[in-house]
Amino acid sequence: MAAEALLEGEAERLTRKCIELALSGDTVALKLCLERIYPARKDRPVAFPLPPIASARDAADIAAAVAQAVAAGHVTPSEAAEIAKVVDAYVRAYQTAELDDRTARVEQLSDEELMRIIRKGESTPPRLLTIGPR
């Protein structure tokens, strides 16, 4: 906090001075400026054919495409692992949305409609089960 207080209002002057030193040949200042302009990249964009994602079931096709990209040298194994995390997050979000949609549809059914669904295909009405002490 003390360093921030000392530098308050001086950032522009210090930056200008660093640039001037870099332009005059100061290699330390030049390195500092270049690191700010073009910092070391932690990852990179990756482009390779990927099947469309239209459902959670597509995850297997996507995993196969990612594995093929690794085998072909288009992506590294660690990049593939990161892509897999994105796909996994999509699948979980898709499954959650699907479950929410199904729950909403069931909640809209009347008791009579639910019983009709339960009895569908049965020749006798369902038996009631008692759980716990009688």
PDB file of all heavy atoms in Angstrom, residues 43-44 46 48 62-63 65-71 74-90 92:
ATOM      1  N   ASP A  43      -1.128 -19.407 -22.686  1.00  0.00           N
ATOM      2  CA  ASP A  43      -1.711 -20.393 -23.585  1.00  0.00           C
ATOM      3  C   ASP A  43      -1.887 -19.746 -24.946  1.00  0.00           C
ATOM      4  O   ASP A  43      -1.540 -18.587 -25.142  1.00  0.00           O
ATOM      5  CB  ASP A  43      -3.030 -20.967 -23.040  1.00  0.00           C
ATOM      6  CG  ASP A  43      -4.088 -19.902 -22.793  1.00  0.00           C
ATOM      7  OD1 ASP A  43      -3.898 -18.740 -23.180  1.00  0.00           O
ATOM      8  OD2 ASP A  43      -5.131 -20.248 -22.217  1.00  0.00           O
ATOM      9  N   ARG A  44      -2.415 -20.496 -25.873  1.00  0.00           N
ATOM     10  CA  ARG A  44      -2.561 -19.979 -27.231  1.00  0.00           C
ATOM     11  C   ARG A  44      -3.895 -20.408 -27.799  1.00  0.00           C
ATOM     12  O   ARG A  44      -4.469 -21.421 -27.369  1.00  0.00           O
ATOM     13  CB  ARG A  44      -1.432 -20.504 -28.107  1.00  0.00           C
ATOM     14  CG  ARG A  44      -1.483 -22.010 -28.309  1.00  0.00           C
ATOM     15  CD  ARG A  44      -0.312 -22.519 -29.127  1.00  0.00           C
ATOM     16  NE  ARG A  44      -0.335 -23.973 -29.208  1.00  0.00           N
ATOM     17  CZ  ARG A  44      -0.880 -24.663 -30.204  1.00  0.00           C
ATOM     18  NH1 ARG A  44      -1.434 -24.051 -31.215  1.00  0.00           N
ATOM     19  NH2 ARG A  44      -0.859 -25.976 -30.198  1.00  0.00           N
ATOM     20  N   VAL A  46      -6.253 -22.292 -30.201  1.00  0.00           N
ATOM     21  CA  VAL A  46      -6.086 -23.565 -30.885  1.00  0.00           C
ATOM     22  C   VAL A  46      -7.235 -23.703 -31.874  1.00  0.00           C
ATOM     23  O   VAL A  46      -8.390 -23.532 -31.508  1.00  0.00           O
ATOM     24  CB  VAL A  46      -6.125 -24.743 -29.874  1.00  0.00           C
ATOM     25  CG1 VAL A  46      -6.022 -26.068 -30.593  1.00  0.00           C
ATOM     26  CG2 VAL A  46      -5.011 -24.592 -28.863  1.00  0.00           C
ATOM     27  N   PHE A  48      -8.850 -26.329 -34.701  1.00  0.00           N
ATOM     28  CA  PHE A  48      -8.892 -27.631 -35.352  1.00  0.00           C
ATOM     29  C   PHE A  48     -10.359 -27.997 -35.514  1.00  0.00           C
ATOM     30  O   PHE A  48     -11.215 -27.461 -34.817  1.00  0.00           O
ATOM     31  CB  PHE A  48      -8.114 -28.699 -34.565  1.00  0.00           C
ATOM     32  CG  PHE A  48      -8.654 -28.985 -33.200  1.00  0.00           C
ATOM     33  CD1 PHE A  48      -9.555 -30.021 -32.993  1.00  0.00           C
ATOM     34  CD2 PHE A  48      -8.271 -28.221 -32.123  1.00  0.00           C
ATOM     35  CE1 PHE A  48     -10.054 -30.274 -31.734  1.00  0.00           C
ATOM     36  CE2 PHE A  48      -8.759 -28.470 -30.862  1.00  0.00           C
ATOM     37  CZ  PHE A  48      -9.658 -29.505 -30.663  1.00  0.00           C
ATOM     38  N   ILE A  62     -16.676 -35.366 -29.696  1.00  0.00           N
ATOM     39  CA  ILE A  62     -15.748 -34.268 -29.447  1.00  0.00           C
ATOM     40  C   ILE A  62     -14.458 -34.811 -28.831  1.00  0.00           C
ATOM     41  O   ILE A  62     -13.357 -34.418 -29.222  1.00  0.00           O
ATOM     42  CB  ILE A  62     -16.407 -33.210 -28.551  1.00  0.00           C
ATOM     43  CG1 ILE A  62     -17.549 -32.553 -29.330  1.00  0.00           C
ATOM     44  CG2 ILE A  62     -15.407 -32.181 -28.074  1.00  0.00           C
ATOM     45  CD1 ILE A  62     -18.508 -31.772 -28.484  1.00  0.00           C
ATOM     46  N   ALA A  63     -14.580 -35.728 -27.887  1.00  0.00           N
ATOM     47  CA  ALA A  63     -13.392 -36.329 -27.278  1.00  0.00           C
ATOM     48  C   ALA A  63     -12.553 -37.037 -28.336  1.00  0.00           C
ATOM     49  O   ALA A  63     -11.313 -36.958 -28.316  1.00  0.00           O
ATOM     50  CB  ALA A  63     -13.797 -37.298 -26.167  1.00  0.00           C
ATOM     51  N   ALA A  65     -12.414 -36.230 -31.527  1.00  0.00           N
ATOM     52  CA  ALA A  65     -11.789 -35.189 -32.349  1.00  0.00           C
ATOM     53  C   ALA A  65     -10.584 -34.582 -31.637  1.00  0.00           C
ATOM     54  O   ALA A  65      -9.548 -34.314 -32.256  1.00  0.00           O
ATOM     55  CB  ALA A  65     -12.811 -34.104 -32.687  1.00  0.00           C
ATOM     56  N   VAL A  66     -10.700 -34.389 -30.338  1.00  0.00           N
ATOM     57  CA  VAL A  66      -9.585 -33.842 -29.562  1.00  0.00           C
ATOM     58  C   VAL A  66      -8.426 -34.844 -29.551  1.00  0.00           C
ATOM     59  O   VAL A  66      -7.265 -34.467 -29.731  1.00  0.00           O
ATOM     60  CB  VAL A  66     -10.036 -33.467 -28.128  1.00  0.00           C
ATOM     61  CG1 VAL A  66      -8.845 -33.101 -27.258  1.00  0.00           C
ATOM     62  CG2 VAL A  66     -11.045 -32.322 -28.166  1.00  0.00           C
ATOM     63  N   ALA A  67      -8.736 -36.120 -29.360  1.00  0.00           N
ATOM     64  CA  ALA A  67      -7.691 -37.150 -29.374  1.00  0.00           C
ATOM     65  C   ALA A  67      -6.993 -37.198 -30.735  1.00  0.00           C
ATOM     66  O   ALA A  67      -5.763 -37.337 -30.809  1.00  0.00           O
ATOM     67  CB  ALA A  67      -8.287 -38.510 -29.020  1.00  0.00           C
ATOM     68  N   GLN A  68      -7.756 -37.063 -31.800  1.00  0.00           N
ATOM     69  CA  GLN A  68      -7.160 -37.045 -33.140  1.00  0.00           C
ATOM     70  C   GLN A  68      -6.269 -35.820 -33.323  1.00  0.00           C
ATOM     71  O   GLN A  68      -5.205 -35.903 -33.944  1.00  0.00           O
ATOM     72  CB  GLN A  68      -8.256 -37.063 -34.205  1.00  0.00           C
ATOM     73  CG  GLN A  68      -8.938 -38.402 -34.332  1.00  0.00           C
ATOM     74  CD  GLN A  68     -10.133 -38.356 -35.284  1.00  0.00           C
ATOM     75  OE1 GLN A  68     -10.563 -37.288 -35.711  1.00  0.00           O
ATOM     76  NE2 GLN A  68     -10.658 -39.528 -35.599  1.00  0.00           N
ATOM     77  N   ALA A  69      -6.703 -34.673 -32.761  1.00  0.00           N
ATOM     78  CA  ALA A  69      -5.894 -33.458 -32.861  1.00  0.00           C
ATOM     79  C   ALA A  69      -4.568 -33.627 -32.120  1.00  0.00           C
ATOM     80  O   ALA A  69      -3.521 -33.155 -32.576  1.00  0.00           O
ATOM     81  CB  ALA A  69      -6.673 -32.258 -32.327  1.00  0.00           C
ATOM     82  N   VAL A  70      -4.604 -34.316 -30.987  1.00  0.00           N
ATOM     83  CA  VAL A  70      -3.365 -34.593 -30.244  1.00  0.00           C
ATOM     84  C   VAL A  70      -2.484 -35.518 -31.070  1.00  0.00           C
ATOM     85  O   VAL A  70      -1.286 -35.278 -31.239  1.00  0.00           O
ATOM     86  CB  VAL A  70      -3.656 -35.217 -28.859  1.00  0.00           C
ATOM     87  CG1 VAL A  70      -2.376 -35.706 -28.199  1.00  0.00           C
ATOM     88  CG2 VAL A  70      -4.355 -34.213 -27.949  1.00  0.00           C
ATOM     89  N   ALA A  71      -3.072 -36.578 -31.605  1.00  0.00           N
ATOM     90  CA  ALA A  71      -2.310 -37.547 -32.394  1.00  0.00           C
ATOM     91  C   ALA A  71      -1.682 -36.896 -33.625  1.00  0.00           C
ATOM     92  O   ALA A  71      -0.569 -37.259 -34.024  1.00  0.00           O
ATOM     93  CB  ALA A  71      -3.204 -38.706 -32.809  1.00  0.00           C
ATOM     94  N   HIS A  74      -1.658 -31.268 -33.618  1.00  0.00           N
ATOM     95  CA  HIS A  74      -2.279 -29.933 -33.688  1.00  0.00           C
ATOM     96  C   HIS A  74      -2.408 -29.298 -32.313  1.00  0.00           C
ATOM     97  O   HIS A  74      -2.399 -28.074 -32.191  1.00  0.00           O
ATOM     98  CB  HIS A  74      -3.651 -30.000 -34.356  1.00  0.00           C
ATOM     99  CG  HIS A  74      -3.604 -30.476 -35.767  1.00  0.00           C
ATOM    100  ND1 HIS A  74      -2.939 -29.807 -36.771  1.00  0.00           N
ATOM    101  CD2 HIS A  74      -4.140 -31.577 -36.349  1.00  0.00           C
ATOM    102  CE1 HIS A  74      -3.064 -30.459 -37.900  1.00  0.00           C
ATOM    103  NE2 HIS A  74      -3.784 -31.550 -37.676  1.00  0.00           N
ATOM    104  N   VAL A  75      -2.569 -30.116 -31.301  1.00  0.00           N
ATOM    105  CA  VAL A  75      -2.645 -29.627 -29.923  1.00  0.00           C
ATOM    106  C   VAL A  75      -1.788 -30.529 -29.042  1.00  0.00           C
ATOM    107  O   VAL A  75      -1.567 -31.698 -29.364  1.00  0.00           O
ATOM    108  CB  VAL A  75      -4.098 -29.581 -29.372  1.00  0.00           C
ATOM    109  CG1 VAL A  75      -4.955 -28.619 -30.148  1.00  0.00           C
ATOM    110  CG2 VAL A  75      -4.734 -30.945 -29.352  1.00  0.00           C
ATOM    111  N   THR A  76      -1.332 -29.972 -27.942  1.00  0.00           N
ATOM    112  CA  THR A  76      -0.540 -30.759 -26.998  1.00  0.00           C
ATOM    113  C   THR A  76      -1.489 -31.516 -26.071  1.00  0.00           C
ATOM    114  O   THR A  76      -2.661 -31.159 -25.941  1.00  0.00           O
ATOM    115  CB  THR A  76       0.367 -29.848 -26.148  1.00  0.00           C
ATOM    116  OG1 THR A  76      -0.461 -29.025 -25.320  1.00  0.00           O
ATOM    117  CG2 THR A  76       1.272 -28.994 -27.021  1.00  0.00           C
ATOM    118  N   PRO A  77      -0.991 -32.553 -25.408  1.00  0.00           N
ATOM    119  CA  PRO A  77      -1.844 -33.264 -24.449  1.00  0.00           C
ATOM    120  C   PRO A  77      -2.398 -32.333 -23.356  1.00  0.00           C
ATOM    121  O   PRO A  77      -3.551 -32.470 -22.960  1.00  0.00           O
ATOM    122  CB  PRO A  77      -0.909 -34.331 -23.872  1.00  0.00           C
ATOM    123  CG  PRO A  77       0.061 -34.609 -24.976  1.00  0.00           C
ATOM    124  CD  PRO A  77       0.294 -33.263 -25.609  1.00  0.00           C
ATOM    125  N   SER A  78      -1.591 -31.379 -22.893  1.00  0.00           N
ATOM    126  CA  SER A  78      -2.103 -30.473 -21.855  1.00  0.00           C
ATOM    127  C   SER A  78      -3.174 -29.546 -22.418  1.00  0.00           C
ATOM    128  O   SER A  78      -4.144 -29.218 -21.723  1.00  0.00           O
ATOM    129  CB  SER A  78      -0.968 -29.679 -21.207  1.00  0.00           C
ATOM    130  OG  SER A  78      -0.305 -28.884 -22.161  1.00  0.00           O
ATOM    131  N   GLU A  79      -3.035 -29.132 -23.660  1.00  0.00           N
ATOM    132  CA  GLU A  79      -4.088 -28.322 -24.288  1.00  0.00           C
ATOM    133  C   GLU A  79      -5.362 -29.150 -24.442  1.00  0.00           C
ATOM    134  O   GLU A  79      -6.465 -28.653 -24.213  1.00  0.00           O
ATOM    135  CB  GLU A  79      -3.624 -27.803 -25.653  1.00  0.00           C
ATOM    136  CG  GLU A  79      -2.568 -26.732 -25.558  1.00  0.00           C
ATOM    137  CD  GLU A  79      -1.920 -26.404 -26.893  1.00  0.00           C
ATOM    138  OE1 GLU A  79      -1.914 -27.257 -27.813  1.00  0.00           O
ATOM    139  OE2 GLU A  79      -1.405 -25.286 -27.014  1.00  0.00           O
ATOM    140  N   ALA A  80      -5.198 -30.407 -24.811  1.00  0.00           N
ATOM    141  CA  ALA A  80      -6.358 -31.303 -24.933  1.00  0.00           C
ATOM    142  C   ALA A  80      -7.068 -31.443 -23.597  1.00  0.00           C
ATOM    143  O   ALA A  80      -8.305 -31.471 -23.540  1.00  0.00           O
ATOM    144  CB  ALA A  80      -5.924 -32.658 -25.465  1.00  0.00           C
ATOM    145  N   ALA A  81      -6.293 -31.525 -22.517  1.00  0.00           N
ATOM    146  CA  ALA A  81      -6.896 -31.634 -21.178  1.00  0.00           C
ATOM    147  C   ALA A  81      -7.714 -30.384 -20.860  1.00  0.00           C
ATOM    148  O   ALA A  81      -8.807 -30.479 -20.280  1.00  0.00           O
ATOM    149  CB  ALA A  81      -5.812 -31.849 -20.131  1.00  0.00           C
ATOM    150  N   GLU A  82      -7.228 -29.223 -21.255  1.00  0.00           N
ATOM    151  CA  GLU A  82      -7.967 -27.976 -21.022  1.00  0.00           C
ATOM    152  C   GLU A  82      -9.237 -27.937 -21.879  1.00  0.00           C
ATOM    153  O   GLU A  82     -10.291 -27.498 -21.416  1.00  0.00           O
ATOM    154  CB  GLU A  82      -7.085 -26.757 -21.314  1.00  0.00           C
ATOM    155  CG  GLU A  82      -5.968 -26.568 -20.309  1.00  0.00           C
ATOM    156  CD  GLU A  82      -6.460 -26.433 -18.873  1.00  0.00           C
ATOM    157  OE1 GLU A  82      -7.400 -25.647 -18.632  1.00  0.00           O
ATOM    158  OE2 GLU A  82      -5.910 -27.118 -17.998  1.00  0.00           O
ATOM    159  N   ILE A  83      -9.130 -28.409 -23.111  1.00  0.00           N
ATOM    160  CA  ILE A  83     -10.311 -28.465 -23.983  1.00  0.00           C
ATOM    161  C   ILE A  83     -11.336 -29.416 -23.378  1.00  0.00           C
ATOM    162  O   ILE A  83     -12.533 -29.135 -23.378  1.00  0.00           O
ATOM    163  CB  ILE A  83      -9.915 -28.897 -25.418  1.00  0.00           C
ATOM    164  CG1 ILE A  83      -9.062 -27.808 -26.070  1.00  0.00           C
ATOM    165  CG2 ILE A  83     -11.153 -29.189 -26.262  1.00  0.00           C
ATOM    166  CD1 ILE A  83      -8.364 -28.248 -27.340  1.00  0.00           C
ATOM    167  N   ALA A  84     -10.871 -30.536 -22.848  1.00  0.00           N
ATOM    168  CA  ALA A  84     -11.769 -31.505 -22.221  1.00  0.00           C
ATOM    169  C   ALA A  84     -12.516 -30.879 -21.050  1.00  0.00           C
ATOM    170  O   ALA A  84     -13.694 -31.168 -20.840  1.00  0.00           O
ATOM    171  CB  ALA A  84     -10.992 -32.738 -21.764  1.00  0.00           C
ATOM    172  N   LYS A  85     -11.858 -30.005 -20.312  1.00  0.00           N
ATOM    173  CA  LYS A  85     -12.533 -29.318 -19.208  1.00  0.00           C
ATOM    174  C   LYS A  85     -13.664 -28.437 -19.729  1.00  0.00           C
ATOM    175  O   LYS A  85     -14.739 -28.370 -19.128  1.00  0.00           O
ATOM    176  CB  LYS A  85     -11.537 -28.456 -18.421  1.00  0.00           C
ATOM    177  CG  LYS A  85     -10.572 -29.240 -17.581  1.00  0.00           C
ATOM    178  CD  LYS A  85      -9.607 -28.296 -16.882  1.00  0.00           C
ATOM    179  CE  LYS A  85      -8.494 -29.031 -16.181  1.00  0.00           C
ATOM    180  NZ  LYS A  85      -7.522 -28.098 -15.579  1.00  0.00           N
ATOM    181  N   VAL A  86     -13.435 -27.761 -20.838  1.00  0.00           N
ATOM    182  CA  VAL A  86     -14.477 -26.919 -21.438  1.00  0.00           C
ATOM    183  C   VAL A  86     -15.656 -27.776 -21.887  1.00  0.00           C
ATOM    184  O   VAL A  86     -16.815 -27.451 -21.633  1.00  0.00           O
ATOM    185  CB  VAL A  86     -13.909 -26.099 -22.626  1.00  0.00           C
ATOM    186  CG1 VAL A  86     -15.014 -25.385 -23.381  1.00  0.00           C
ATOM    187  CG2 VAL A  86     -12.860 -25.113 -22.141  1.00  0.00           C
ATOM    188  N   VAL A  87     -15.347 -28.890 -22.550  1.00  0.00           N
ATOM    189  CA  VAL A  87     -16.400 -29.792 -23.012  1.00  0.00           C
ATOM    190  C   VAL A  87     -17.168 -30.360 -21.815  1.00  0.00           C
ATOM    191  O   VAL A  87     -18.400 -30.418 -21.823  1.00  0.00           O
ATOM    192  CB  VAL A  87     -15.819 -30.920 -23.892  1.00  0.00           C
ATOM    193  CG1 VAL A  87     -16.873 -31.965 -24.223  1.00  0.00           C
ATOM    194  CG2 VAL A  87     -15.229 -30.335 -25.170  1.00  0.00           C
ATOM    195  N   ASP A  88     -16.457 -30.755 -20.771  1.00  0.00           N
ATOM    196  CA  ASP A  88     -17.099 -31.293 -19.569  1.00  0.00           C
ATOM    197  C   ASP A  88     -18.021 -30.254 -18.938  1.00  0.00           C
ATOM    198  O   ASP A  88     -19.140 -30.576 -18.532  1.00  0.00           O
ATOM    199  CB  ASP A  88     -16.046 -31.755 -18.566  1.00  0.00           C
ATOM    200  CG  ASP A  88     -16.668 -32.375 -17.331  1.00  0.00           C
ATOM    201  OD1 ASP A  88     -17.451 -33.341 -17.482  1.00  0.00           O
ATOM    202  OD2 ASP A  88     -16.381 -31.902 -16.212  1.00  0.00           O
ATOM    203  N   ALA A  89     -17.572 -29.015 -18.882  1.00  0.00           N
ATOM    204  CA  ALA A  89     -18.415 -27.949 -18.323  1.00  0.00           C
ATOM    205  C   ALA A  89     -19.667 -27.767 -19.171  1.00  0.00           C
ATOM    206  O   ALA A  89     -20.776 -27.590 -18.644  1.00  0.00           O
ATOM    207  CB  ALA A  89     -17.633 -26.643 -18.242  1.00  0.00           C
ATOM    208  N   TYR A  90     -19.511 -27.851 -20.497  1.00  0.00           N
ATOM    209  CA  TYR A  90     -20.675 -27.737 -21.378  1.00  0.00           C
ATOM    210  C   TYR A  90     -21.648 -28.883 -21.120  1.00  0.00           C
ATOM    211  O   TYR A  90     -22.849 -28.668 -20.993  1.00  0.00           O
ATOM    212  CB  TYR A  90     -20.248 -27.750 -22.851  1.00  0.00           C
ATOM    213  CG  TYR A  90     -21.446 -27.891 -23.753  1.00  0.00           C
ATOM    214  CD1 TYR A  90     -22.229 -26.798 -24.066  1.00  0.00           C
ATOM    215  CD2 TYR A  90     -21.834 -29.136 -24.242  1.00  0.00           C
ATOM    216  CE1 TYR A  90     -23.349 -26.934 -24.855  1.00  0.00           C
ATOM    217  CE2 TYR A  90     -22.958 -29.279 -25.022  1.00  0.00           C
ATOM    218  CZ  TYR A  90     -23.709 -28.176 -25.329  1.00  0.00           C
ATOM    219  OH  TYR A  90     -24.828 -28.309 -26.097  1.00  0.00           O
ATOM    220  N   ARG A  92     -22.035 -30.757 -18.458  1.00  0.00           N
ATOM    221  CA  ARG A  92     -22.712 -30.606 -17.158  1.00  0.00           C
ATOM    222  C   ARG A  92     -23.791 -29.523 -17.218  1.00  0.00           C
ATOM    223  O   ARG A  92     -24.883 -29.705 -16.687  1.00  0.00           O
ATOM    224  CB  ARG A  92     -21.695 -30.306 -16.059  1.00  0.00           C
ATOM    225  CG  ARG A  92     -20.964 -31.570 -15.615  1.00  0.00           C
ATOM    226  CD  ARG A  92     -20.050 -31.348 -14.413  1.00  0.00           C
ATOM    227  NE  ARG A  92     -18.788 -30.785 -14.900  1.00  0.00           N
ATOM    228  CZ  ARG A  92     -18.297 -29.602 -14.546  1.00  0.00           C
ATOM    229  NH1 ARG A  92     -18.916 -28.846 -13.686  1.00  0.00           N
ATOM    230  NH2 ARG A  92     -17.151 -29.174 -15.042  1.00  0.00           N
TER     231      ARG A  92
END
